[in-house]
Amino acid sequence: GVSFFPVFREVGLNLGIIEQEALDRVYDWTTPDFSSVILPPIPYAATTVDNYNMNFISPFGQQKVKSWRFRHWLGTDQLGRDVMAGMIHGTRTAMMVGLVSMLIASLIGIFFGAIAGYFGDFGWKLKRTTFYGYLLALPVGFFYAFISRKHQLAMAIESGDLTFQMLFSLLIFALPFFLVKGIEYLFQAKPAFQKEMTLPVDSMVMRLVEVIRSVPGLLLVLALVSLFETQSLLNVILIIGLIRWTGITTFLRAELLRIRELGYIQSAKALGFSNLRIILKHALPNAMTSVLIVISFGVAASVLMEAFLSFIGIGVPTEQVTWGSMLNTARQNYLAWWLAIFPGLAIFVTVSILNFIGDGLSEVIGR
């Protein structure tokens, strides 16, 4: 006379709302003697091992299952893991890597592209003390926020408490910059703190872009992945995001170099609007439509990059089931065609759809 909803309980456990109970520790929900059990369409997780169907069972082969309900419709791998469940899990991994990494790349690329295109080499004036102070604060903040706390961040990734540790690191990173502004405020009456300089942000940003593009993307990813002691999907997302922003920057810079000379931008400057307001409310909204094309192609490239890293077993944890890891498993048995065809087809279809979206956006915007 009692009903249980383990799916909703799992959400509560993950959020910390409810506590663990004995019933939640049941390993296989098909084993206990319940009156009835409503299982998902695929009654396997990506990491569930079926000991009765190990060693590469074909989708059309003889399978030792209780009924058709538990059949492995796309076969199994050498450990007896369900291929269809792995395909679904791999889809989530691929889209998470593609979308989140391009979100990071977009934030970086839009920032650098906006300041480079809007200010150029002669439009950004700042105090000399601010420039040299920030130049000193950048490596100091980065060292104490990320390098010295590398062990704490690695432990946070393993324990799932990354959000707090990352926010704490960002606070540490920002402290030297606040200190520079505080010193500047205290001594603002001094003549030495009043001298201004023109910062050639356009040249600085483009030289940085050229340095990053001079190194092959794959080689750069492999070099950055090797810096981390532990393999993590988060590391892969961050690395891909940190190298994919250059295309967004160059594209947005070119758009803003054109837009900043238009009449409504000049009128906004004449009315005394701040540069931040002009960039956010007038310049960026008219330049972002074209940037969406670059982002859509970037998501496709990120999916391919994640699949390649999983295939060679670098960066992504070995227990993580992805399309690339399934392709790597197919190399162990050349007769296991289903482990090569289905993940390969998924990568092909996903990348093709994302490229078609980019082509469609370019045609619509180009009209």
Side-chain angles (χ1 to χ4, degrees), residues 44-59 63 72-87 318-333 335-340 342-343:
Y44 301 103
T47 57
T48 300
V49 175
D50 186 353
N51 295 321
Y52 298 101
N53 294 280
M54 301 175 66
N55 298 323
F56 303 102
I57 300 298
S58 169
Q63 298 183 8
H72 301 279
W73 297 104
L74 297 184
T76 63
D77 61 7
Q78 82 280 16
L79 297 178
R81 296 177 297 186
D82 186 75
V83 174
M84 185 176 287
M87 290 288 296
T318 54
E319 67 275 6
Q320 189 85 20
V321 180
T322 65
W323 293 338
S325 66
M326 297 173 73
L327 288 173
N328 185 31
T329 304
R331 297 193 304 169
Q332 302 178 19
N333 187 349
L335 295 177
W337 54 268
W338 57 94
L339 282 172
F342 295 125

Side-chain angles (χ1 to χ4, degrees), residues 124-128 130-131 134 195-199:
W124 193 347
K125 297 182 181 296
L126 76 165
K127 297 179 180 179
R128 293 179 179 270
T130 302
F131 173 73
Y134 283 173
K195 296 181 180 180
E196 291 186 344
M197 62 178 294
T198 301
L199 190 66

Side-chain angles (χ1 to χ4, degrees), residues 114-115 117-120 122-126 201 256 260 265-266 268-285:
I115 61 174
Y118 180 80
F119 292 105
F122 306 101
W124 193 347
K125 297 182 181 296
L126 76 165
V201 289
L256 287 182
R260 72 178 185 179
I265 298 295
Q266 300 300 324
K269 291 181 179 180
L271 290 173
F273 293 162
S274 65
N275 291 325
L276 182 62
R277 177 177 177 179
I278 295 174
I279 292 174
L280 294 180
K281 289 191 174 182
H282 303 286
L284 277 182

Side-chain angles (χ1 to χ4, degrees), residues 100-106 108-109 112 142 208 212-213 220-221 224 227-228 234-247 302:
V100 178
S101 63
M102 284 311 298
L103 175 62
I104 297 173
S106 299
I108 300 174
F112 283 117
F142 185 82
L208 179 61
I212 295 178
R213 286 186 169 180
L220 186 59
V221 169
L224 293 176
L227 297 177
F228 294 92
L234 178 62
N235 296 341
V236 175
I237 293 174
L238 292 175
I239 290 171
I240 295 177
L242 289 174
I243 68 171
R244 289 291 180 187
W245 60 269
T246 55
S302 299

Side-chain angles (χ1 to χ4, degrees), residues 91-107 236-238 240-241 244 248 292 295-304 306 350 354 357:
T91 303
R92 180 175 65 178
T93 302
M95 297 312 299
M96 180 173 65
V97 170
L99 295 176
V100 178
S101 63
M102 284 311 298
L103 175 62
I104 297 173
S106 299
L107 294 176
V236 175
I237 293 174
L238 292 175
I240 295 177
R244 289 291 180 187
I248 299 174
L292 294 176
I295 295 176
S296 63
F297 285 118
V299 174
S302 299
V303 170
L304 278 176
E306 181 275 327
T350 302
L354 292 171
I357 293 174

